[in-house]
């Protein structure tokens, strides 16, 4: 079973940990901003707060996500919309880490939106039926960078 096909409770237990540790290595001068498995139910929060970017750094805000063996980013439609709205507050980037190939990609959120519009297909998560974009890493808006160390 692929990570995205696992029940949400299983995905939630490890979601983002590997990708976030790589981001922290790549961008050591950062401040944690987003939630890391808070002790309350975030689904009841307003959409903008529910999708608070993970980090702040000198040039703005960063959301961190990971991809697996299928080389496909699964970006919820509502998350992309929220991150585009955060762009009104500060520059927003999406940082995506591939734990199998040890590569990361980093680009402004509007470039990810354009890549989704041109190359992504739509799907829905089986547990909550929420729509998401399926974007293969061959169509990411930046070149992958090898992680050292």
């Amino acid at each position: 079973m692929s990570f995205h096909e696992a029940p949400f409770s299983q995905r939630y237990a490890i979601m983002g940990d590997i990708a976030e540790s790589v981001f922290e290595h790549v961008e050591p001068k950062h401040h944690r901003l987003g939630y890391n498995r808070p002790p309350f139910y975030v689904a009841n929060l307003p959409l903008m707060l529910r999708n608070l970017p993970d980090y702040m750094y000198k040039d703005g805000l960063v959301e961190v996500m990971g991809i697996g063996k299928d080389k496909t980013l699964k970006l919820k439609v509502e998350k992309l919309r929220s991150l585009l709205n955060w762009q009104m507050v500060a520059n927003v980037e999406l940082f995506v880490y591939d734990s199998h190939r040890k590569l990361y990609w980093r680009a402004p959120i509007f470039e990810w939106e354009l890549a989704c519009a041109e190359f992504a297909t739509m799907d829905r998560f089986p547990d909550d039926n929420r729509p998401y974009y399926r974007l293969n890493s061959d169509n990411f808006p930046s070149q992958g960078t090898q992680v050292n160390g």
Side-chain angles (χ1 to χ4, degrees):
M1 175 184 327
S2 295
F3 179 79
H4 80 282
E5 293 171 326
F8 182 75
S9 59
Q10 280 184 303
R11 295 193 325 257
Y12 188 72
I14 59 168
M15 195 178 296
D17 291 351
I18 296 169
E20 288 176 356
S21 67
V22 171
F23 172 78
E24 291 173 1
H25 173 76
V26 169
E27 191 68 58
K29 293 185 178 183
H30 64 271
H31 175 73
R32 180 76 191 183
L33 191 62
Y35 309 110
N36 192 6
R37 292 183 276 293
F40 54 86
Y41 192 58
V42 296
N44 292 333
L45 293 174
L47 190 59
M48 287 286 291
L49 290 179
R50 202 165 51 228
N51 293 296
L52 184 65
D54 293 314
Y55 295 93
M56 181 186 316
Y57 79 116
K58 66 181 177 58
D59 293 328
L61 305 172
V62 180
E63 177 66 16
V64 177
M65 296 181 72
I67 62 173
K69 292 178 187 176
D70 66 357
K71 300 174 16 179
T72 302
L73 177 66
K74 290 142 186 98
L75 178 59
K76 286 184 181 177
V77 171
E78 69 178 29
K79 182 183 227 177
L80 177 59
R81 288 182 185 149
S82 293
L83 293 172
L84 289 165
N85 284 331
W86 276 107
Q87 186 72 29
M88 292 185 289
V89 176
N91 291 327
V92 177
E93 292 183 355
L94 182 59
F95 178 101
V96 177
Y97 179 64
D98 180 332
S99 58
H100 295 279
R101 294 183 292 165
K102 310 291 188 237
L103 292 170
Y104 71 88
W105 296 261
R106 186 175 184 169
I109 194 64
F110 66 87
E111 291 184 17
W112 291 95
E113 177 190 31
L114 293 173
C116 285
E118 187 170 351
F119 302 109
T121 58
M122 297 293 295
D123 205 344
R124 290 183 176 271
F125 284 104
D127 54 352
D128 63 9
N129 204 36
R130 290 186 185 206
Y132 67 92
Y133 295 106
R134 294 178 54 85
L135 183 65
N136 187 281
S137 63
D138 293 339
N139 298 312
F140 285 2
S142 64
Q143 293 295 314
T145 302
Q146 194 73 44
V147 175
N148 299 318

